[in-house]
Amino acid sequence: MNFDFSDDQKFLKSEARKFLDANCGAARVRGVLDDDGKPYDAGLWESVAQQGWLGAAIPEEYGGLGLGHLELCVIAEELGRAVAPIPFASTVYFLAEAIMLAGNDEQKSYLLPKIAAGEIIGAIATSEGPGPTTAATLKATVTDGRLSGVKLPVTDGDIANVALVLAKEGGKPGLFLVDLDGAGVAREALKTLDPTRDAAKLTFNDAAARRVGDAGAGIELVEQIFDRAAILLAFEQCGGADKCLEMAKAYALERYAFGRVIASYQAIKHKLADIYVKNELARSNAYYGAWALNTNAPETPLAASAARIAASEAFWFAAKENIQTHGGIGFTWEMDCHLYYRRSRQLSLVAGAPRVWKERLVSHLERRNAA
């Protein structure tokens, strides 16, 4: 069996890296980080759309490339490596996947071509504050096609045109499409650890809402969307973690202390080895998730949970140890280490904290063992 990507997929990965190395260096990421009035890099977003990446997994009949999820995974890894300051995940991993999964023909025909062309930015709004969102705690409501309620934090909610909103309709949770540029929607930008991926508080007051999927199936649909997104996010996290290891290794080989490169000291060797082990574990789980996602395997929820947990841990650990390897200078604004630490924390929360995914993993294992 071949557990690796094909030659074509490796070529796509190589070309994506070349493109991002040329168009998404640290200076471009800092351009968003340092400018409060610039929530994302619009120029890079347009360039990525022109590359066709936004429609990599979208069928050709809806304006996409029709490549598949494996190709989207390799693109995601390179975007994570570059800590790209664009709303790719919110638009592609959540909105596009949700429409492909449960949208009707009208929704697919209208939204998917616009997503592939980069004409709209998406977001998903499920959280209503601290703690997990369940059918019992859900407060947002939809009555006669009108949505009222508050959602926070919503990643990219300050720049999105369309949001997927979890709300109750007739007492049962449903998932709804809302035009954020329409009437009845108020936005409030929130301060986050990673300003290159903004978040917002969204307040809805009788905003027009269209249901996605079956009535009352909101929670189940969100779980399926999160499973898909978790696998794609895991590849972003793997890309970021690998870049952190490269940065730490390069610095350790050039920094001298007491007449020796610090890479020759056992303590530094242990740090780099520990990062490598966690990165490889995360990659193994991400590959398992990619297979499950691409084949729509019944193991997808289990694979997604494992990939999410391993990748979140690997990226956070790699980002933290990269700073430690750099020493005192690693904590300064001038070094790029903090760009990866910020993104590692942001990605670990955007689809639910690792603690939630650990609980989901245990539940999936218990059900599998009981079967």
Side-chain angles (χ1 to χ4, degrees), residues 47-86:
S47 296
V48 164
Q50 291 173 353
Q51 294 292 315
W53 295 356
L54 297 171
I58 294 176
E60 291 182 85
E61 63 183 295
Y62 296 115
L65 297 181
L67 296 176
H69 285 98
L70 292 182
E71 287 75 12
L72 185 55
C73 286
V74 301
I75 292 171
E77 183 174 350
E78 295 308 312
L79 289 169
R81 176 186 172 86
V83 286
I86 53 177

Side-chain angles (χ1 to χ4, degrees), residues 117-184:
E119 295 175 1
I120 62 172
I121 294 172
I124 187 165
T126 58
S127 175
E128 296 180 344
T133 302
T134 65
T137 62
L138 190 60
K139 297 178 181 178
T141 59
V142 171
T143 304
D144 296 329
R146 295 287 171 174
L147 168 68
S148 295
V150 177
K151 294 291 180 177
L152 81 161
V154 180
T155 301
D156 296 317
D158 56 331
I159 57 175
N161 308 108
V162 179
L164 290 162
V165 183
L166 183 65
K168 283 185 177 179
E169 182 184 39
K172 296 181 179 180
L175 192 62
F176 299 86
L177 277 171
V178 180
D179 179 2
L180 297 184
D181 298 323

Side-chain angles (χ1 to χ4, degrees), residues 227 230-231 234 237-238 278 281-289 299-314 354 357-362 364-365:
D227 283 340
I231 295 166
Q237 291 168 310
C238 285
K278 288 184 181 293
L281 178 62
R283 183 169 299 279
S284 296
N285 281 287
Y287 275 33
Y288 177 38
E299 297 94 337
T300 298
L302 180 63
S305 299
R308 177 69 174 160
I309 295 165
S312 295
E313 170 67 18
W357 286 93
K358 289 177 182 179
E359 293 176 357
R360 291 181 67 174
L361 177 61
V362 170
H364 291 315
L365 290 172

Side-chain angles (χ1 to χ4, degrees), residues 83-236:
V83 286
I86 53 177
F88 193 91
S90 299
T91 305
V92 178
Y93 308 164
F94 291 99
L95 179 60
E97 288 296 320
I99 299 304
M100 289 191 290
L101 177 66
N104 57 35
D105 291 340
E106 179 185 354
Q107 291 165 346
K108 290 178 179 178
S109 298
Y110 177 73
L111 288 172
L112 293 180
K114 290 182 176 293
I115 292 172
E119 295 175 1
I120 62 172
I121 294 172
I124 187 165
T126 58
S127 175
E128 296 180 344
T133 302
T134 65
T137 62
L138 190 60
K139 297 178 181 178
T141 59
V142 171
T143 304
D144 296 329
R146 295 287 171 174
L147 168 68
S148 295
V150 177
K151 294 291 180 177
L152 81 161
V154 180
T155 301
D156 296 317
D158 56 331
I159 57 175
N161 308 108
V162 179
L164 290 162
V165 183
L166 183 65
K168 283 185 177 179
E169 182 184 39
K172 296 181 179 180
L175 192 62
F176 299 86
L177 277 171
V178 180
D179 179 2
L180 297 184
D181 298 323
V185 181
R187 317 188 199 208
E188 179 186 343
L190 302 175
K191 290 186 177 181
T192 66
L193 181 62
D194 183 6
T196 65
R197 293 298 310 280
D198 278 357
K201 174 183 177 182
L202 301 182
T203 302
F204 302 99
N205 185 15
D206 286 337
R210 296 166 291 159
R211 191 175 67 243
V212 177
D214 296 332
I219 297 294
E220 293 79 7
L221 183 54
V222 166
E223 288 183 351
Q224 292 180 60
I225 296 167
F226 274 27
D227 283 340
R228 291 173 173 232
I231 295 166
L232 296 164
L233 289 169
F235 275 90
E236 278 203 23

Side-chain angles (χ1 to χ4, degrees), residues 77 80-83 236-252 271-272 275-276 279 283 311 313-326 336-345:
E77 183 174 350
R81 176 186 172 86
V83 286
E236 278 203 23
Q237 291 168 310
C238 285
D242 281 349
K243 180 62 176 179
C244 287
L245 178 57
E246 291 179 18
M247 293 170 64
K249 176 187 173 183
Y251 185 79
K271 285 184 182 295
L272 300 182
I275 296 174
Y276 176 80
N279 286 7
R283 183 169 299 279
E313 170 67 18
F315 193 10
W316 171 77
F317 184 82
K320 174 174 67 76
E321 292 301 292
N322 182 34
I323 294 174
Q324 293 291 335
T325 300
H326 279 73
D336 293 334
C337 303
H338 65 94
L339 300 178
Y340 290 86
Y341 186 83
R342 292 169 185 272
R343 186 58 62 87
S344 74
R345 304 315 297 153

